[in-house]
Amino acid sequence: MSSELRYTANTQLEHLHARYTGTGHADLTKYDWLTHQHRDTLSSIVGHPTLTSYLAIADGESIGRVKFEMTERMLQPCGPPPRKDED
């Protein structure tokens, strides 16, 4: 019974990873996870016009300027990637 449950859980997890790219995996670093989260948030703000309008009013900017800045921020939302240790 437990082997069936394990098989079902693994197939469900594989399905989630295939469907949603930001769900991560065992080798995902903290930087990569944060980058995915920030990009998801920024793309959601750009994709929802009411959120974009809200931010534009709060910042005193035009809607186009807010969209442009959010899109630019998606390139490196958490700054440059950390150096990889060569062991």
Side-chain angles (χ1 to χ4, degrees), residues 5 26 51:
L5 181 61
L51 286 175

Side-chain angles (χ1 to χ4, degrees), residues 10-64:
N10 284 337
T11 56
Q12 288 176 350
L13 188 62
E14 289 173 7
H15 176 71
L16 282 176
H17 288 295
R19 187 168 182 189
Y20 304 107
T21 57
T23 53
H25 50 81
D27 298 329
L28 193 68
T29 63
K30 181 179 178 181
Y31 174 80
D32 292 334
W33 185 79
L34 280 173
T35 302
H36 286 300
Q37 294 297 317
H38 282 269
R39 283 190 182 138
D40 287 346
T41 302
L42 292 170
S43 65
S44 177
I45 291 171
V46 170
H48 290 87
T50 53
L51 286 175
T52 309
S53 298
Y54 176 78
L55 283 176
I57 291 170
D59 291 342
E61 300 277 341
S62 68
I63 294 173

